Amino acid sequence: MSHSIYGIDLAKHSFSIHGEDHQGKVLIHKTITRSKVLETFANIPPAIIGMEACGASHYWARELAKLGHTPKIMASKYVAPFRTGAKNDLNDAFAICTAVIRPSTRFVRIKSADQQAILLLHRARDHWVHERTALLNQIRAMLAEFGIIAPKGRHALQTAIPEALEDGDNPLPDLARAIISDCFGHLLILNQRIADQEQCFDMLVSRSRQAKKIMKVAGIGPITATAVIASIGKGEQFDKGRDFAAWLGLVPSQYSTGGKPRLGRITKKGDRYLRTLLVHGARAVIASLGDKTDRLSLWCKSLVERRGFKRAIVALAAKNARIIWSLLRNDTEYQTI
């Protein structure tokens, strides 16, 4: 017997639901409160339930799966073409119900609670790194207001700040000295928090065979390894390595017509955080090639000569993405040549 189809428009307090059976008969079309969502679906036979990817969508998908349903998460771009009438929650639920059964719709793999917890660790660290950068720039500007030009680089600046605070001969007023001292104290706290989180990444890697495996790839460290595994698991949602690279936005954009393919810059679609980690790792590898003569180094050197430094970085990042997918999907070991 065919499953009925439901679309649910997620929100904080009010949830709109539209449901149809396999013949198109409307089963439900109403808005309920958050507290009644699970109660409502607990009294419904196993069904396919579509929802847009958003905050808490993975939580609701896990909870609905416990009730025997088949939840499916999709990007909002797959829903918009099926919305009819005005933009409101019930119309959104109807559009979701329609989009979830379309063969061209692509779905987001549901993450476990542990995967989301690891990604929270990444998001917190990323926020603190950005906050540290902003704070360093602010302190640099504060010192410049009084004619004290700090050296370039984070470590050099962190060394120069206490020296400037302790120098009684510089033109810093007492009030400015106190404010910069407070900022420097906050900077030290941020440094400690970031260092503590990096130890957490090392601990996670020590417990993960998959993470240890992909860290053998050049340019992949504990942060990138844990982020990839928490984001895609074993990579089963991708048919091939290029699909993973495309999901990361590391493949050329295409504008083709009349049988003439035209390739442009990389799309930069998908997970920006993962793409950034892979690109930074590739940059570190290419910047340290030196006199290395292994196969990968020679390939990178040739690419730099032919296409330039920046294009070589992106090419290596895309190559690493495909290698990582193959290692995870096929459960193989990375072998250097």
Side-chain angles (χ1 to χ4, degrees):
M1 183 178 65
S2 300
H3 288 297
S4 52
I5 312 297
Y6 290 83
I8 176 170
D9 186 59
L10 302 177
K12 291 182 179 179
H13 305 293
S14 298
F15 294 68
S16 296
I17 302 173
H18 177 87
E20 301 177 357
D21 62 16
H22 62 282
Q23 295 178 340
K25 179 182 177 181
V26 176
L27 301 175
I28 186 173
H29 184 76
K30 67 177 183 179
T31 299
I32 61 176
T33 61
R34 178 188 180 90
S35 60
K36 294 185 178 180
V37 173
L38 295 180
E39 177 185 342
T40 299
F41 283 100
N43 296 317
I44 292 175
I48 297 174
I49 304 174
M51 62 190 77
E52 289 182 313
C54 62
S57 58
H58 290 276
Y59 162 77
W60 286 112
R62 291 194 298 267
E63 293 300 313
L64 291 171
K66 293 177 183 177
L67 298 176
H69 300 294
T70 305
K72 294 187 176 184
I73 304 174
M74 70 200 90
S76 58
K77 66 179 181 180
Y78 294 110
V79 176
F82 300 100
R83 186 185 302 116
T84 58
K87 170 71 171 71
N88 58 56
D89 293 344
L90 280 172
N91 282 345
D92 285 345
F94 171 79
I96 294 169
C97 183
T98 305
V100 74
I101 57 174
R102 301 300 301 174
S104 60
T105 302
R106 296 183 179 180
F107 300 103
V108 178
R109 192 173 186 84
I110 300 171
K111 294 181 177 64
S112 67
D114 290 337
Q115 283 179 297
Q116 286 194 287
I118 294 173
L119 289 176
L120 286 181
L121 181 63
H122 280 272
R123 298 296 180 262
R125 178 189 176 277
D126 188 50
H127 171 77
W128 285 332
V129 168
H130 280 84
E131 183 180 350
R132 179 175 66 182
T133 301
L135 184 58
L136 285 167
N137 290 334
Q138 184 180 39
I139 294 174
R140 188 188 301 276
M142 288 177 176
L143 292 173
E145 289 291 337
F146 300 97
I148 302 174
I149 305 303
K152 293 182 179 180
R154 176 169 66 88
H155 297 290
L157 176 57
Q158 289 181 170
T159 302
I161 293 172
E163 294 176 355
L165 293 174
E166 294 171 3
D167 184 3
D169 297 330
N170 62 34
L172 275 178
D174 291 341
L175 179 58
R177 200 180 299 271
I179 294 172
I180 295 174
S181 179
D182 288 343
C183 291
F184 183 65
H186 184 51
L187 175 63
L188 296 179
I189 293 174
L190 288 175
N191 284 339
Q192 186 59 51
R193 285 182 174 177
I194 294 171
D196 290 343
Q197 288 197 325
E198 289 174 351
Q199 289 183 353
C200 289
F201 291 130
D202 293 335
M203 180 186 67
L204 290 171
V205 167
S206 67
R207 298 178 179 180
S208 173
R209 184 180 66 87
Q210 300 281 32
K212 293 177 183 177
K213 180 167 55 179
I214 64 176
M215 279 180 60
K216 295 178 182 178
V217 180
I220 307 300
I223 296 176
T224 306
T226 53
V228 168
I229 293 174
S231 298
I232 69 169
K234 295 182 179 180
E236 296 173 342
Q237 61 271 49
F238 304 106
D239 294 329
K240 51 184 180 293
R242 191 186 186 282
D243 291 345
F244 178 43
W247 181 72
L248 292 172
L250 288 171
V251 300
S253 58
Q254 185 178 25
Y255 182 81
S256 302
T257 183
K260 296 180 179 179
R262 294 180 177 87
L263 300 180
R265 299 179 178 180
I266 59 172
T267 63
K268 292 187 178 181
K269 294 181 179 179
D271 196 313
R272 180 179 180 180
Y273 179 70
L274 275 184
R275 183 174 65 252
T276 300
L277 291 177
L278 287 169
V279 168
H280 285 338
R283 180 181 288 110
V285 171
I286 293 180
S288 61
L289 288 176
D291 298 327
K292 296 178 181 178
T293 57
D294 59 278
R295 184 176 178 180
L296 178 64
S297 297
L298 293 176
W299 179 81
C300 291
K301 289 178 181 179
S302 174
L303 198 57
V304 171
E305 292 174 0
R306 289 185 290 111
R307 303 297 293 167
F309 184 76
K310 292 184 178 180
R311 287 189 178 94
I313 290 172
V314 175
L316 180 58
K319 184 183 185 72
N320 283 346
R322 298 186 188 206
I323 293 173
I324 289 171
W325 174 86
S326 179
L327 296 176
L328 294 175
R329 184 68 179 85
N330 301 318
D331 195 20
T332 54
E333 293 291 335
Y334 181 70
Q335 296 179 354
T336 57
I337 300 177

